[in-house]
Amino acid sequence: MKKLFLFILSVSLLFGVVACGQVTTTQTDTTTTEAVTTTQTEESTTTTTTYTGPEFSGPTAISVEVGMDLSLDAITASDAEDGDLTGDIVVDYGTLDTDTIGEYTITLTVTDSDGFEAEYTVTVTVTPELTPTERAQLALDSISLDYVDGQTLLTFPKFYPNGTWLYWKSSDTHVITGSGYVIKPHVGSDPVEVTLTCTAKNSGVILTKDFVLTIQPNPEATVTSKVQLPYEGTSTEYVTEDQTAVDVFFVDNGTVPYMDVQTFTEMIDGALDTSIITFTPEGDDGLWIEYSVEYLDFDEVTVITEEYWAYIDFTENTFTVNNFDFFESYIGSTESDYGSGLVYTGADYVDGNEVTIPLGDYNFDILIYEDGGETYYLMPLHVINLLIAGGVYFDVYYNGDTLYGVDTFVMNSSEAADVALLDTIRTSSYNDLAMQNDMKLATYNFLALAFDYFYGLKEDRGIETYYTVLDVKLQGYMDDNDKELYNALFDFANARDDLHTWHQFTGYYEAPFEIGLSISDLGPRTTAFYEGLWAVQDLLDAKYGSYDDMPEYELLDSDKIAVIHLTGFDIDTPDNFKAILDGLPTTVEDVVVDLSYNTGGNLGAVLRIYGYMTEEPFTYHSQNPADGSAVTYYIESDYVAYDYNWYVQTSSVTFSAANLFTSMAKELGIPVIGQNSSGGASSIGVIILPEGTAFFISTNNVLSTRSGDEVSGYVYSSIENGIDVDYRMNNVTSDTELVSIIHTIKAAS
């Protein structure tokens, strides 16, 4: 039962503030400032280039209201060699007099660095004084919005010199943003008509004018080069075999890496059990990925076989799975046993639905490529990593020079060796390169894809697609230098206002550097959590001298009450918990599991601790909003439970795995004392962005409660927003309050 393994492996921690064998390609560059004559025979091609000098662009007729200043901002000059020459334009105003109504001619000239001169004549009409309506209309009539296929940025005028302000709105911000950035529709789609509405405002008068542009879709991607890179496995939890040469492809002379799906999968054998996976081409444009998992049912007799499949359509650019368990159930085994002692006695399942992920809608073109008698089923490397590896707490990190296999445990570690490893994987020859536009666009599209299909709180936040969040940021991403972009991605992560989503490290287009986190970077929910955390720390400082000096446990009420302070959950916590219980005096009747300073950890540890607290079966509930699946596991333990009256103490710091612990206590009828927990429902996982940035995010494994019955049906509810206490404390560090509440509970029982 591979899925069980994923659940107990899940972590939900809080964040703290070389080319060989290259394919030869030919590319012909042309510009609009060259006249090119080509004569081609079977043997040769001859190209003659005639240089035509600089060129002007802009209106040839301009109106200006009498007494107003003439603006020539709409006229630009450039050439192929020197680029923008607008600043070098010389204007001969002739007899122009803007204080006298009439028609005039002015002449603009510009000279490039080779001495070539261009001349441009403009008719200027000085008109009578206009009304605000006439001024607004003149401003609108002056706009010439031209688009050339392949153009990436439109210039939207914001002000006309007669005092008119201009505001723009796009009917489809995913194709043309409000700032004029053009995103071509995905390959295979129809052209898109976008209406750009300009609103002119002058002295209270408001007029509008529509401009309709047709944007053609992207052409099919073409493989233009191939390199071979080494693969190095770095994980001690998942053992994968190093390789000296793995094929990596590039399309359209770009910088975004592609890999063959099967090659990628087999490369990380060990993280995945590839012995059970088959790859079967279908027709000219499809690939099936299939596997089955056999296990004994809870009766230890019945053999259950689960079938999983994915179908990749390389014409439609889609990736379809029968349900999201596909992404997890082929997981390999870790070296550590995160579920020691747990016995699963039954389960209730809500089957997941078939889901099609439209990669094309996110402008990712997947393709079948024939080379040297081999057929390659190519997808962008970061997309394969998300789909094939991301669900098993393992990722492949590409830095331009090497492919590294890295596990989630390392990425979330503060151990010196692990931190050094993360610096190593980000250090490459690409540190000194500037990120190209295709990589920036891939990052923008990948963020939308990852958050639309693999972010567990998307539904909770009421977002249909994260393009609505990202579209307004695109021009900034494209215009930013690499460090600025990395800072912008840092801001995007923090703007999710989710304690399970954070920026882990920057990418490989800069040498490794840290971005400092301050309270002003955080959203209101995250800020409130930290303010609560600091308040509890102050109380602990007052009680113990320092919150770091809080003891493992305390004895109260003449040694009848033991308070065990758990500040986190890791693989060793259950053993430490048992050791404390074994050392308690015989006078103890009541044991309080104090989670008031516990921000979460490993879910398997939570379940194992309950094995020491009850001989009764306990349950674990979760749901996946991406495919609609849900599950309830009935769990027992090989451990012998301790016979105490149990209580759980919480605060606003109690988060994530500690929040699950609290929810389970309520279900078991264990009194919850203190202050409401802060929540946290999702396990965490890593996404690696194309340029190397790493985010931790809330995954689709959403911890839940369950209501209803077998006859009427069950409803699963996320515990994202916390658990209410049964008995409230004003001060969660007050021994007097705690003892008084326990006495009250016992008196009423």
Side-chain angles (χ1 to χ4, degrees):
M1 288 183 281
K2 296 280 186 175
K3 193 171 180 65
L4 289 174
F5 180 70
L6 256 295
F7 284 145
I8 61 177
L9 181 66
S10 297
V11 289
S12 46
L13 303 174
L14 180 65
F15 69 94
V17 167
V18 173
C20 59
Q22 187 162 354
V23 175
T24 301
T25 62
T26 302
Q27 179 177 352
T28 303
D29 295 325
T30 62
T31 72
T32 57
T33 57
E34 294 180 352
V36 180
T37 304
T38 302
T39 304
Q40 184 170 337
T41 68
E42 293 181 1
E43 290 82 17
S44 65
T45 300
T46 303
T47 301
T48 304
T49 301
T50 304
Y51 182 63
T52 60
E55 292 187 346
F56 281 91
S57 177
T60 58
I62 298 176
S63 294
V64 59
E65 190 174 345
V66 65
M68 294 286 188
D69 293 332
L70 174 66
S71 172
L72 300 175
D73 290 346
I75 300 175
T76 62
S78 63
D79 79 359
E81 295 180 354
D82 294 336
D84 185 15
L85 294 172
T86 304
D88 298 325
I89 294 175
V90 176
V91 183
D92 180 357
Y93 290 97
T95 62
L96 175 67
D97 180 3
T98 57
D99 291 327
T100 303
I101 296 172
E103 187 175 285
Y104 305 85
T105 299
I106 64 174
T107 304
L108 291 73
T109 58
V110 69
T111 304
D112 68 10
S113 59
D114 292 325
F116 288 96
E117 182 181 277
E119 185 177 284
Y120 198 66
T121 301
V122 178
T123 300
V124 178
T125 302
V126 180
T127 67
E129 186 175 350
L130 305 177
T131 66
T133 299
E134 291 172 326
R135 290 173 184 161
Q137 188 62 55
L138 179 61
L140 290 174
D141 291 343
S142 72
I143 300 172
S144 177
L145 202 61
D146 298 319
Y147 169 75
V148 178
D149 189 36
Q151 186 177 345
T152 58
L153 186 63
L154 300 171
T155 300
F156 291 161
K158 304 295 186 182
F159 180 76
Y160 192 73
N162 65 8
T164 302
W165 291 94
L166 304 170
Y167 304 88
W168 293 85
K169 183 178 180 180
S170 170
S171 65
D172 190 337
T173 59
H174 186 49
V175 178
I176 302 179
T177 69
S179 58
Y181 200 90
V182 180
I183 312 151
K184 290 174 74 68
H186 65 82
V187 60
S189 66
D190 294 328
V192 175
E193 279 196 353
V194 180
T195 300
L196 298 167
T197 301
C198 181
T199 300
K201 296 184 179 181
N202 188 298
S203 302
V205 172
I206 299 176
L207 300 179
T208 63
K209 183 177 182 179
D210 289 341
F211 301 83
V212 179
L213 299 181
T214 300
I215 311 301
Q216 299 294 327
N218 274 315
E220 293 277 353
T222 302
V223 174
T224 51
S225 63
K226 178 178 73 174
V227 300
Q228 291 185 316
L229 300 180
Y231 168 80
E232 180 181 332
T234 69
S235 173
T236 57
E237 285 290 349
Y238 297 100
V239 179
T240 59
E241 185 176 340
D242 292 352
Q243 299 184 35
T244 58
V246 178
D247 289 338
V248 176
F249 301 81
F250 298 89
V251 303
D252 301 334
N253 298 301
T255 60
V256 176
Y258 279 62
M259 277 192 69
D260 173 72
V261 176
Q262 184 170 351
T263 300
F264 177 94
T265 304
E266 293 174 348
M267 180 178 70
I268 59 172
D269 179 48
L272 311 182
D273 182 3
T274 62
S275 67
I276 64 174
I277 304 174
T278 62
F279 296 83
T280 308
E282 178 167 299
D284 295 330
D285 58 1
L287 180 68
W288 288 95
I289 309 175
E290 298 168 287
Y291 67 95
S292 62
V293 178
E294 286 190 356
Y295 55 87
L296 290 178
D297 201 4
F298 300 107
D299 60 12
E300 298 296 328
V301 175
T302 306
V303 176
I304 302 294
T305 301
E306 299 281 1
E307 304 281 352
Y308 300 104
W309 58 262
Y311 179 70
I312 312 176
D313 190 316
F314 288 82
T315 297
E316 298 297 327
N317 291 303
T318 57
F319 190 101
T320 302
V321 291
N322 60 330
N323 59 65
F324 265 49
D325 285 355
F326 169 87
F327 299 117
E328 303 172 348
S329 300
Y330 46 34
I331 187 172
S333 297
T334 59
E335 294 297 308
S336 303
D337 185 357
Y338 290 87
S340 174
L342 298 177
V343 179
Y344 293 81
T345 61
D348 298 328
Y349 298 102
V350 177
D351 292 335
N353 299 309
E354 180 179 309
V355 177
T356 295
I357 301 175
L359 301 177
D361 287 0
Y362 297 85
N363 251 317
F364 293 120
D365 189 12
I366 58 178
L367 60 154
I368 301 175
Y369 176 59
E370 305 283 345
D371 182 47
E374 296 287 336
T375 301
Y376 299 92
Y377 293 85
L378 300 180
M379 297 173 65
L381 174 56
H382 47 280
V383 175
I384 308 179
N385 185 61
L386 175 70
L387 299 177
I388 301 298
V392 299
Y393 291 88
F394 187 87
D395 287 277
V396 174
Y397 192 89
Y398 163 90
N399 69 5
D401 298 335
T402 305
L403 301 164
Y404 290 98
V406 188
D407 66 49
T408 299
F409 313 97
V410 168
M411 292 195 191
N412 197 47
S413 171
S414 59
E415 296 291 333
D418 295 334
V419 173
L421 173 62
L422 298 183
D423 283 346
T424 296
I425 69 172
R426 292 184 289 154
T427 301
S428 80
S429 64
Y430 277 49
N431 293 163
D432 297 323
L433 299 181
M435 198 185 309
Q436 299 301 298
N437 282 352
D438 70 318
M439 184 63 76
K440 291 181 179 181
L441 275 172
T443 297
Y444 152 80
N445 287 309
F446 181 80
L447 274 173
L449 171 65
F451 275 85
D452 279 358
Y453 283 91
F454 295 92
Y455 183 52
L457 299 188
K458 174 174 175 280
E459 185 177 284
D460 181 80
R461 300 298 167 89
I463 292 178
E464 183 176 350
T465 172
Y466 270 85
Y467 273 129
T468 58
V469 177
L470 287 160
D471 285 350
V472 297
K473 302 177 182 296
L474 177 59
Q475 187 173 345
Y477 286 1
M478 302 302 293
D479 292 345
D480 285 345
N481 63 42
D482 296 345
K483 279 203 170 182
E484 290 171 341
L485 177 55
Y486 286 141
N487 277 278
L489 295 174
F490 174 86
D491 292 339
F492 175 85
N494 290 319
R496 299 312 101 221
D497 198 18
D498 170 15
L499 287 162
H500 274 159
T501 297
W502 68 89
H503 177 281
Q504 186 66 12
F505 56 72
T506 57
Y508 54 84
Y509 277 93
E510 292 285 336
F513 70 96
E514 301 300 323
I515 304 175
L517 178 68
S518 67
I519 193 68
S520 62
D521 294 319
L522 307 178
R525 181 183 179 188
T526 314
T527 299
F529 172 86
Y530 277 105
E531 289 172 343
L533 175 71
W534 295 328
V536 171
Q537 287 179 339
D538 288 344
L539 293 172
L540 294 174
D541 287 346
K543 184 174 184 178
Y544 302 112
S546 170
Y547 62 85
D548 287 329
D549 293 332
M550 182 168 54
E552 287 188 322
Y553 73 96
E554 296 176 83
L555 297 174
L556 308 175
D557 195 25
S558 301
D559 294 351
K560 289 185 291 185
I561 299 175
V563 182
I564 301 177
H565 305 293
L566 298 183
T567 59
F569 295 102
D570 61 32
I571 194 170
D572 297 321
T573 303
D575 293 338
N576 296 336
F577 184 74
K578 180 181 186 301
I580 293 171
L581 293 174
D582 288 340
L584 295 178
T586 58
T587 54
V588 172
E589 301 172 358
D590 308 293
V591 175
V592 179
V593 182
D594 176 23
L595 307 179
S596 62
Y597 193 58
N598 188 311
T599 60
N602 174 259
L603 302 186
V606 170
L607 304 181
R608 290 166 61 202
I609 287 175
Y610 268 108
Y612 293 118
M613 294 173 60
T614 179
E615 294 288 352
E616 298 297 319
F618 48 91
T619 54
Y620 167 99
H621 315 288
S622 72
Q623 58 181 312
N624 185 327
D627 69 354
S629 63
V631 64
T632 292
Y633 287 115
Y634 299 89
I635 308 170
E636 294 179 355
S637 172
D638 289 338
Y639 307 153
V640 176
Y642 290 74
D643 187 17
Y644 293 115
N645 300 313
W646 293 96
Y647 309 86
V648 173
Q649 186 178 4
T650 62
S651 77
S652 64
V653 179
T654 306
F655 181 73
S656 193
N659 189 50
L660 171 65
F661 195 105
T662 307
S663 176
M664 292 176 65
K666 295 273 280 192
E667 190 168 295
L668 287 166
I670 297 173
V672 178
I673 304 168
Q675 297 171 5
N676 295 349
S677 64
S678 63
S682 292
S683 299
I684 60 169
V686 170
I687 60 171
I688 305 295
L689 278 56
E691 36 58 49
T693 294
F695 284 179
F696 274 86
I697 69 168
S698 293
T699 71
N700 282 322
N701 179 35
V702 180
L703 310 175
S704 303
T705 60
R706 186 178 74 166
S707 59
D709 55 54
E710 190 173 351
V711 176
S712 301
Y714 293 105
V715 175
Y716 287 78
S717 303
S718 166
I719 61 172
E720 174 64 24
N721 295 317
I723 306 299
D724 292 342
V725 295
D726 300 311
Y727 301 89
R728 180 171 176 80
M729 296 176 65
N730 293 317
N731 179 350
V732 293
T733 66
S734 171
D735 295 341
T736 302
E737 276 193 76
L738 180 61
V739 171
S740 175
I741 290 173
I742 291 176
H743 285 172
T744 299
I745 295 171
K746 295 182 74 173
S749 61

